[in-house]
Amino acid sequence: HQESGECYRELAGLRLDTLQINQLVSRLDESDQAILKLLEKLKQARSDLQERIKAAVSRKEQLEEQRKELERRRDEAEEAVQRQTEQIHGRLSETEGYRQQQDRAEKAEAVAKRAEEKAAQAEKDQLTKGKPYEADSLFMYLWKRRYLTAEYQAGWLGRRLDNWVAKHIDFQRNRANYHMLQELPRRLREHATKTRQTAELEAQALQGLEREAAEAEGLLALQAAVEEAEKQLKRHDVQIEAEEMQHRQLLKEQAGFTEGTDPLSKQILDLQLAALQREELSELLRKARATPRPEDDAIVVRLQQIQDQQAQINAQIQSVSQYLHQQQRNLAELEELRRRYRREYSSSLVSAA
């Protein structure tokens, strides 16, 4: 753009009188002075942004180093908990009371599992083996009327008819079988519930012994240290994510400078375009093209070359901008992957604990 302005100055010196030259050059010089001031501001703004980006990168690196130290402390605390737990279990297993309680808890758990398996099988049988009975409309008719029970009610005629139907379908035998299919799952489930309650009580008693030993050996304090380390890591991750977000925002600002879409660059380009798109410049160029003078032709050719170079530069800017946007997307994906890893790693440690 600046070179185009110089060409127009030369062209004006060849084509215009002194007054017109002074007026045109004065307007171009005013635009150049304003543009130069803005360019200085733009240079300073880019420099400031670069320093902010460097500072953001430095803060991120410091935070990552601090996180490694926090992870190391957390891992050491977890290892201490694991060692202490193993030692406590080792000492407890040597005591008669703990072994007896452990044996009771294991047996109660085994009984509860068998009872639950039997109850589940009976419930399955109820669904499958009960279907033939439920598909028999005459059987279900007598069943719903509570036939052969104290709840059965009917007149003399109804009783005679129901007796005939019952004898015809052998209801008494079939009722006993169906009744067992209905009653057995309920009783087994009640038994399974009781055995599960017993198993839980025995397990709680075992845990009580372990908790007492843990308190006596200081294990709870070690576990509290692990929990506090996890909390510190989570708080630190929040700081890292905030810093990463700030860094991405700075890179977006940098992309604006690269593409020339920031406010200062747009203001400079607007001033340059306005200076070079004046009506008198267009007229000057038109007249120069219409004359056979070689001096005019050389300047016109140079202006055409400048326009071609501008098109190439714009294409290069567009290509670099696309590459920069792709790099920013890659960076965002990488940071998201790191955040997900931190969350999942922390969750897996909590689950393991």
Side-chain angles (χ1 to χ4, degrees), residues 35-45 264 268:
I35 289 170
L36 286 173
K37 291 180 180 179
L38 290 173
L39 282 172
E40 284 299 319
K41 290 183 179 180
L42 179 62
K43 181 180 178 181
Q44 186 61 45
L264 281 174
I268 292 170

Side-chain angles (χ1 to χ4, degrees), residues 102-263:
Q102 189 177 37
D103 183 61
R104 286 194 295 271
E106 291 174 354
K107 288 181 178 179
E109 178 64 24
V111 170
K113 284 186 177 180
R114 287 196 298 271
E116 288 170 346
E117 290 172 357
K118 290 181 179 179
Q121 184 60 48
E123 289 165 351
K124 183 178 178 181
D125 292 342
Q126 180 185 27
L127 294 175
T128 56
K129 296 181 179 180
K131 287 182 178 179
Y133 297 97
E134 293 163 0
D136 189 333
S137 58
L138 292 177
F139 176 82
M140 293 307 297
Y141 161 77
L142 293 176
W143 176 265
K144 291 177 181 179
R145 286 178 59 82
R146 312 299 297 169
Y147 185 74
L148 295 183
T149 69
E151 300 174 8
Y152 174 70
Q153 294 181 355
W156 69 271
L157 181 59
R159 285 179 178 273
R160 292 189 64 181
L161 291 174
D162 290 344
N163 290 337
W164 180 85
V165 171
K167 184 178 180 181
H168 178 71
I169 63 173
D170 196 7
F171 179 78
Q172 185 173 5
R173 179 179 62 82
N174 289 327
R175 178 190 175 282
N177 294 336
Y178 187 68
H179 177 74
M180 183 60 66
L181 285 175
Q182 300 297 312
E183 190 68 15
L184 185 61
R186 183 183 64 79
R187 292 181 180 179
L188 290 177
R189 179 55 62 187
E190 289 177 354
H191 176 67
T193 300
K194 292 179 180 178
T195 57
R196 173 53 59 189
Q197 291 173 348
T198 300
E200 290 176 354
L201 290 174
E202 295 295 348
Q204 289 173 5
L206 184 67
Q207 292 171 1
L209 294 176
E210 294 173 349
R211 185 165 52 252
E212 290 175 1
E215 292 176 354
E217 297 287 342
L219 180 61
L220 297 183
L222 292 177
Q223 291 174 337
V226 172
E227 293 176 359
E228 179 58 29
E230 282 293 342
K231 291 178 181 178
Q232 290 181 357
L233 269 175
K234 289 181 180 179
R235 290 194 295 266
H236 198 75
D237 287 342
V238 171
Q239 293 180 347
I240 291 177
E241 291 179 10
E243 197 60 49
E244 288 175 344
M245 184 178 298
Q246 177 66 21
H247 185 227
R248 288 196 300 272
Q249 185 60 37
L250 292 174
L251 292 180
K252 286 182 180 179
E253 292 184 33
Q254 187 183 52
F257 283 123
T258 303
E259 299 170 7
T261 57
D262 63 283

